[in-house]
Amino acid sequence: MSRFFLPFFLISRLFIRIIVIVSTVAGFSRCTGTVASLPAGDPDNGGLILPGNFEAVVVADSIGRARHITVNDNGDVYVKLTFNDAMHGSGGTVGLRDNNNDGKADVIAYFGDYKDEGGLPVGIMVHDGYLYTSTVKNVFRNKLTPGELIPESKTEVILTDDDENLGRKWHTAKPFAFDNAGNMYVPFGAPTDAAQDVAKAGPAGIPGGKGLDPAPDLEKHAGIWRFDADKKGQTQKDGYKYATGIRSVLGIAWNPMDNSLYAVMNGMDNFHTRYPTIYSPWQAAVLPSEPLLKVTEHSNFGWPYSYYDQMQKKNILQPGYGGDGKIVGRAAKFDLPVMAFPGHWAPMDLLFYQGNQFPERYKKGAFVAFHGSTDRSPYPQAGYIVCFVPFENGAPAGEWEVFADGFTGIDTVVNTSDALYRPMGLATGPDGSLYISESNKGKIWRVMYKGDKNKFGDAQLAEMEKRKSRSYIKTPDEVKDNLGIGGEMNGLILYNSYCTSCHQRDGKGDNNRYPPLAGSDWVAGNKERLIGVILHGLQGEIKVNGKTYNGVMPAHGSFLDDHAVASILTYVKKKFNKEDTPITSAEVSKVRNASNDKK
């Protein structure tokens, strides 16, 4: 396998051509556009669990933090990366070529003369002879030369997000989709979680906090805009606002079955943290739904005023606008999704399969890649699969199905980092193979069907249905599946909301009134004392690391529940003291109850 790094305009095109031509001659041409016989799958399918008679081969491994993926009509694979100078020194895109049809990439080439402006980029697609790619700020394209892996053309800027505050906003990725009429659709995500006033409340909002009404974010965000796919130099004002009320989209695709745009939306977070009297930790773990949307012109899916509850099967008024978890109110006027997935699964990509290799049923539906949750604590994290949504007559028919599993490597994902792989991107090859990328290590799979297409049916589907009992797929039991461990991600959000004004983001305090948490003997000391400080506050002189402080620590127990306190302390201990000893909700509850008994 050859691996080389190619920033545009920095390495001679002659050198690029020599490497590619030599590899092609040695391994037979892959540039003819013909479909060769399918390669053998790996003995263990690269770790994947698939329906009967499906096989998988690992195309490449550890290429970098892979995001979305696309395949050219000659079989060349292109992967969008999260740009990382320390990893390979050049390029935000990687090209993969399999010269001898064994399913493995013989050439791995990094290229791209752009850098990401922060955030997590996703978009990449071969369209009308061009390779389109995106960062959080731009959509680019390069004309592809037949037979050449690396684009030789100058990079064209198709779209620029000219928002001056882009780097300080959420949901800034720029995935895209193309219709059959020369249009490109690009989401501009909501800059906040739930239209809260971030300047006053912080990113997590305040308990019982209200959303801004009317929500100012809806004018230029939380929607999908339509652009000319071939016009250079566009900004948002050149686009047409196609749909609104859509919080965050990373998976977007045009469905040729009904000539319509579809998207999978990431729903709101922090329900229990923000509204502890309305939502239990269990409800916050499974709500709100991550829905599949059929996006038509002028459709409105309700963000931030409403969310979809997959258990009640209806839009629900968001508490920031007067809801209580049951009231519908003005949420009734918003469009409904066509399919509802569990909360926080993080759908990353959407693909309507149009290949001829798989059984016919797969040409009537969509694949969805779920990156997996980060904020379901105290319940197991969930998602981390590729599912299939069957369609009939251009609409979903029946429940979603587990198609590819095995990414986590373990049954119970307590922390997101426990998952070995996190599915990210989907693409179809010219022979109908399905390609899957993942973001932890940069592994790429090629999934193939080797059986009789006419004999695929209920038996194979029933085996995959059994996978839904896995802890990262099933709906958790409210009691039995409560892990009671503080969530590090929740702790980060809560710490930034409630603690940084005194203890600072680096945990070092202000060297005057407020003591440090980093390296603190208080943090490393008695757990009960530390929990009590957050619950009940502290006033008067204390010594931390030998220095006297005399500030006031307000009590937080009246508005932070046991899991929130456990999450903050879990984060503090790991972030600032390198302690891998999470605090549990039960430990906080014990201190809280002991204090109440003394009253």
Side-chain angles (χ1 to χ4, degrees):
M1 178 188 297
S2 60
R3 181 183 291 237
F4 50 96
F5 312 113
L6 303 170
F8 290 148
F9 316 124
L10 296 181
I11 297 179
S12 76
R13 301 191 189 283
L14 176 61
F15 177 64
I16 296 171
R17 288 195 185 99
I18 288 172
I19 292 176
V20 174
I21 290 171
V22 168
S23 293
T24 301
V25 171
F28 309 107
S29 176
R30 290 283 294 143
C31 306
T32 63
T34 59
V35 177
S37 59
L38 297 175
D42 289 335
D44 64 346
N45 288 329
L48 297 189
I49 299 166
L50 302 162
N53 293 318
F54 279 92
E55 296 180 5
V57 59
V58 175
V59 178
D61 199 353
S62 302
I63 62 172
R65 292 181 292 167
R67 305 293 285 175
H68 280 182
I69 186 171
T70 189
V71 185
N72 201 0
D73 58 10
N74 69 340
D76 286 342
V77 178
Y78 296 97
V79 186
K80 187 71 187 74
L81 301 178
T82 297
F83 193 91
N84 185 344
D85 275 330
M87 182 175 61
H88 54 70
S90 69
T93 306
V94 58
L96 309 173
R97 175 170 286 180
D98 171 14
N99 284 318
N100 58 6
N101 197 39
D102 66 351
K104 308 287 186 180
D106 303 300
V107 179
I108 301 177
Y110 296 86
F111 63 93
D113 59 346
Y114 47 81
K115 289 189 177 182
D116 296 320
E117 303 292 331
L120 295 174
V122 289
I124 187 166
M125 187 179 295
V126 174
H127 176 71
D128 282 350
Y130 286 88
L131 177 64
Y132 284 76
T133 58
S134 74
T135 63
V136 298
K137 187 176 180 65
N138 296 106
V139 176
F140 303 106
R141 76 174 185 181
N142 291 90
K143 185 71 174 178
L144 291 170
T145 303
E148 298 289 344
L149 176 63
I150 308 301
E152 296 185 313
S153 60
K154 183 178 179 180
T155 300
E156 299 175 355
V157 181
I158 301 299
L159 175 65
T160 299
D161 188 341
D162 56 358
D163 188 337
E164 294 180 355
N165 298 312
L166 182 65
R168 296 193 292 273
K169 293 182 176 179
W170 297 12
H171 317 130
T172 51
K174 298 293 184 297
F176 45 80
F178 302 95
D179 64 15
N180 301 319
N183 298 308
M184 176 178 71
Y185 299 83
V186 181
F188 284 72
T192 60
D193 182 24
Q196 66 272 20
D197 188 339
V198 175
K200 294 180 179 179
I206 58 177
K210 294 182 178 181
L212 297 174
D213 195 3
D217 300 334
L218 291 171
E219 181 181 354
K220 294 184 178 181
H221 300 87
I224 295 175
W225 272 252
R226 186 176 67 195
F227 299 90
D228 186 330
D230 294 316
K231 184 179 179 181
K232 293 180 285 186
Q234 297 174 92
T235 61
Q236 188 176 14
K237 70 178 185 299
D238 298 307
Y240 169 72
K241 189 175 183 179
Y242 189 72
T244 190
I246 303 171
R247 176 181 176 270
S248 174
V249 166
L250 293 127
I252 183 171
W254 187 261
N255 182 3
M257 290 185 289
D258 60 0
N259 285 317
S260 297
L261 184 69
Y262 286 76
V264 276
M265 184 176 77
N266 284 250
M268 289 179 279
D269 300 313
N270 307 306
F271 270 16
H272 179 62
T273 302
R274 195 178 292 124
Y275 303 107
T277 62
I278 297 175
Y279 301 102
S280 69
W282 180 83
Q283 288 174 304
V286 299
L287 291 173
S289 170
E290 313 266 50
L292 171 61
L293 313 175
K294 182 175 182 177
V295 185
T296 57
E297 189 172 5
H298 305 306
S299 56
N300 184 343
F301 293 96
W303 184 93
Y305 308 114
S306 74
Y307 64 90
Y308 190 76
D309 184 319
Q310 72 273 21
M311 294 177 289
Q312 299 186 61
K313 300 185 186 306
K314 56 186 177 182
N315 285 335
I316 299 295
L317 186 65
Q318 205 246 96
Y321 298 91
D324 64 356
K326 297 179 181 179
I327 295 173
V328 173
R330 60 170 153 168
K333 69 180 182 180
F334 300 120
D335 293 304
L336 296 171
V338 295
M339 176 69 70
F341 302 108
H344 315 297
W345 276 30
M348 289 290 119
D349 207 358
L350 173 67
L351 172 72
F352 288 93
Y353 182 79
Q354 291 297 294
N356 293 317
Q357 182 190 131
F358 287 9
E360 195 67 20
R361 69 187 310 277
Y362 290 105
K363 292 188 70 171
K364 300 178 181 180
F367 290 98
V368 182
F370 293 98
H371 206 218
S373 66
T374 60
D375 55 353
R376 272 192 160 211
S377 295
Y379 294 90
Q381 303 300 336
Y384 312 100
I385 63 170
V386 173
C387 86
F388 178 72
V389 180
F391 272 56
E392 284 290 344
N393 301 319
E399 295 297 316
W400 56 268
E401 304 163 0
V402 179
F403 178 77
D405 191 11
F407 297 96
T408 65
I410 58 174
D411 180 48
T412 302
V413 182
V414 178
N415 302 293
T416 304
S417 59
D418 296 339
L420 185 60
Y421 303 113
R422 301 183 69 188
M424 186 69 211
L426 302 168
T428 309
D431 65 356
S433 296
L434 176 68
Y435 289 77
I436 304 172
S437 62
E438 71 81 31
S439 66
N440 275 359
K441 300 178 183 298
K443 196 168 189 173
I444 311 298
W445 291 268
R446 176 181 173 183
V447 178
M448 305 161 288
Y449 185 71
K450 299 289 187 69
D452 184 340
K453 292 193 288 186
N454 296 320
K455 294 182 178 180
F456 185 89
D458 293 342
Q460 291 85 352
L461 297 176
E463 283 301 307
M464 295 307 294
E465 185 70 14
K466 295 176 182 178
R467 306 297 303 174
K468 289 186 177 180
S469 64
R470 310 292 283 184
S471 66
Y472 51 85
I473 301 178
K474 71 175 184 178
T475 299
D477 182 278
E478 188 167 3
V479 176
K480 294 179 180 178
D481 293 322
N482 188 326
L483 301 176
I485 299 174
E488 189 178 345
M489 180 60 72
N490 279 358
L492 167 63
I493 296 171
L494 292 164
Y495 180 86
N496 286 338
S497 298
Y498 299 112
C499 309
T500 55
S501 59
C502 295
H503 297 289
Q504 305 300 300
R505 290 184 182 272
D506 61 4
K508 295 182 179 179
D510 69 344
N511 202 33
N512 183 18
R513 296 175 61 197
Y514 307 114
L517 302 177
S520 166
D521 50 8
W522 270 67
V523 173
N526 184 281
K527 282 185 181 181
E528 288 75 15
R529 180 180 68 172
L530 193 60
I531 292 169
V533 169
I534 291 187
L535 290 176
H536 311 302
L538 185 67
Q539 188 170 356
E541 289 188 355
I542 62 168
K543 281 191 175 182
V544 178
N545 296 345
K547 182 174 180 177
T548 300
Y549 294 86
N550 193 6
V552 176
M553 167 75 179
H556 288 64
S558 62
F559 53 86
L560 292 180
D561 69 1
D562 295 344
H563 183 253
V565 174
S567 295
I568 290 174
L569 292 179
T570 295
Y571 171 75
V572 166
K573 281 182 166 290
K574 186 167 185 178
K575 175 70 175 179
F576 301 130
N577 271 33
K578 309 301 180 185
E579 293 183 41
D580 195 17
T581 54
I583 303 296
T584 67
S585 301
E587 290 174 311
V588 178
S589 179
K590 181 180 178 181
V591 175
R592 189 192 295 270
N593 293 337
S595 300
N596 291 336
D597 290 342
K598 293 178 181 179
K599 292 180 180 179

